[in-house]
Amino acid sequence: MKLLIVDAFTQTIFGGNPAGIAILREDEDFPAYDIMRKIAAELGYSETAFIKQLGPKEFHIRYFTPTMEVDLCGHVTIASFVALLNLGLIEDNSVYVNHTLAGDLNIEVDNGFVMMDMATPVEIATIDEIPDLTELYEIMGTSYDPASIRLLPKIISTGLPDIMMPVATRADLDEIDPDMKALSALSKRYDVVGVHAFTLEAEDGITAYVRNFAPRYNINEEAATGTANGALTYYLHLHNLIAPNGKCRMRQGEKMDRPSTIVTEIKTTDEGCLIKVGGSAKIVLQGEIEV
C-alpha cells in the first residue's frame, strides 16, 4: 500500500488537520480489520483512510480511528482526494463517487479544491433541561448562562453525531478546558462522537469559530472536522442564521496552532437539505507500507 500523511483544510503544511492515507494497489483488497486498526494506531492521527479504487470515477473508502472503524470522516476525505489528484489517479475538474458506511457520496474536485457531499442531515435531539445544560457546560470547563447564550445545544449528524454547543464569545471558546474523562462518559451516554463548540462572534468572512472535542475516540481536540462543521451548518439553517442556499466559512484549530478553514454549502429543496463540506490540503509525506 502507498501511505501518505496529508494536512487537510489548509493551504500550508503543518496547518489544518493531519490525516493518514493508505491507497491500495489495483490488485489489493482491504486488509483485515485489525490490520487497518493497527495501521491507524501506528500513525496516531485522529483518522486514517483506506482507499480502494473501483473504477475511473468510483472509490470505496473505509475510515479508522486508532481504536475502531467509523462511518465517515470529512477531513480525511478531503485529504484523500487531494492525494489521489496529486498522484495522478484522478483528474481535476471532475466528480467522483465515494462509497462509505454513511452512504454513497459525490466528491467534486475543482482546481484542486475538494467539496464532498455529507450524509443526509438529521436533528437527533435538543438539550434543553437546566440540569443537562449545567452538566454539559461544566464538563466543558465553562458555565451555562441563558442571558448570554441564546441558543440551545443540539445533537446533529451529517454522517456522525455531535453535540453542537454554542458559547457567547471567542474568549469563552478559547477558555474551554474539558474534563476529558467526564466528556468521554457523557459522549457515550448521549451516543455522540463528541462536542463541537462554536461562537458566532466572528470577523468578516468567517461564519463561526469552532473547537471540537472527542475523547470518547481518543481525540482530545481536533484541528478540523468536516462532519461536525456540516452538522453546524445544518444547526445554523434550523435557526435561520444562514441563507437557505448559502455558504459558510468555519475557522478551527487556532487554539492548537493548526489553523484550519472549512467551507460548507447548503442547498435546500422541497425534498430536504444537501450539505457539502470542502477545503484544500497539502501532502506532507509519502511512502510505502508492507503488511
Side-chain angles (χ1 to χ4, degrees):
M1 283 184 290
K2 185 172 288 293
L3 194 65
L4 300 94
I5 296 171
V6 182
D7 290 339
F9 293 120
T10 182
Q11 294 181 329
T12 60
I13 63 170
F14 309 127
N17 198 359
I21 308 294
I23 302 175
L24 280 64
R25 291 188 292 268
E26 188 174 344
D27 59 344
E28 281 184 304
D29 203 349
F30 289 107
Y33 181 101
D34 201 46
I35 293 295
M36 290 189 282
R37 184 193 62 76
K38 286 180 178 179
I39 292 172
E42 185 77 11
L43 289 174
Y45 298 120
S46 57
E47 282 92 6
T48 293
F50 293 84
I51 306 171
K52 182 173 178 60
Q53 186 162 7
L54 304 179
K57 300 276 188 176
E58 193 173 5
F59 293 84
H60 181 189
I61 301 183
R62 295 176 66 179
Y63 304 90
F64 279 78
T65 74
T67 59
M68 65 183 294
E69 186 171 13
V70 294
D71 290 356
L72 182 65
C73 176
H75 83 274
V76 179
T77 304
I78 302 301
S80 294
F81 279 86
V82 168
L84 291 168
L85 179 63
N86 276 270
L87 293 171
L89 297 174
I90 62 173
E91 296 180 351
D92 207 351
N93 306 307
S94 298
V95 179
Y96 299 89
V97 175
N98 179 22
H99 299 282
T100 77
L101 290 177
D104 296 341
L105 307 175
N106 288 331
I107 311 292
E108 300 174 16
V109 184
D110 183 6
N111 292 318
F113 193 90
V114 179
M115 291 292 292
M116 61 177 287
D117 287 359
M118 293 282 99
T120 301
V122 179
E123 179 186 3
I124 297 169
T126 300
I127 301 174
D128 55 7
E129 298 291 335
I130 292 298
D132 296 332
L133 290 164
T134 300
E135 177 190 40
L136 170 62
Y137 281 79
E138 285 184 351
I139 285 173
M140 295 301 293
T142 184
S143 59
Y144 176 69
D145 177 10
S148 60
I149 304 171
R150 303 300 179 88
L151 302 170
L152 290 170
K154 287 182 180 289
I155 300 173
I156 293 179
S157 174
T158 53
L160 296 172
D162 278 289
I163 298 172
M164 304 294 111
M165 192 190 93
V167 298
T169 68
R170 286 180 65 184
D172 294 335
L173 187 72
D174 286 344
E175 289 169 4
I176 285 176
D177 185 17
D179 178 336
M180 295 299 178
K181 184 176 180 181
L183 178 55
S184 181
L186 183 77
S187 300
K188 186 174 182 180
R189 197 171 83 227
Y190 279 116
D191 195 21
V192 298
V193 173
V195 170
H196 197 59
F198 71 93
T199 179
L200 299 179
E201 184 185 72
E203 300 167 350
D204 289 345
I206 302 298
T207 308
Y209 284 86
V210 304
R211 294 177 69 189
N212 186 275
F213 307 89
R216 181 185 178 189
Y217 293 93
N218 293 329
I219 306 166
N220 283 351
E221 184 168 0
E222 195 155 28
T225 43
T227 53
N229 282 299
L232 177 57
T233 302
Y234 189 59
Y235 177 103
L236 298 176
H237 164 73
L238 292 173
H239 287 91
N240 297 311
L241 293 170
I242 57 174
N245 295 288
K247 287 187 177 182
C248 299
R249 288 172 64 86
M250 314 299 190
R251 287 286 287 177
Q252 189 175 341
E254 293 190 334
K255 188 74 172 179
M256 304 172 68
D257 197 28
R258 295 194 70 98
S260 307
T261 301
I262 301 97
V263 175
T264 69
E265 294 180 357
I266 184 167
K267 295 183 179 179
T268 59
T269 66
D270 292 340
E271 288 74 35
C273 291
L274 172 64
I275 292 175
K276 297 182 178 183
V277 171
S280 302
K282 297 294 289 186
I283 294 174
V284 178
L285 181 150
Q286 58 181 302
E288 296 281 340
I289 184 170
E290 299 294 335
V291 292

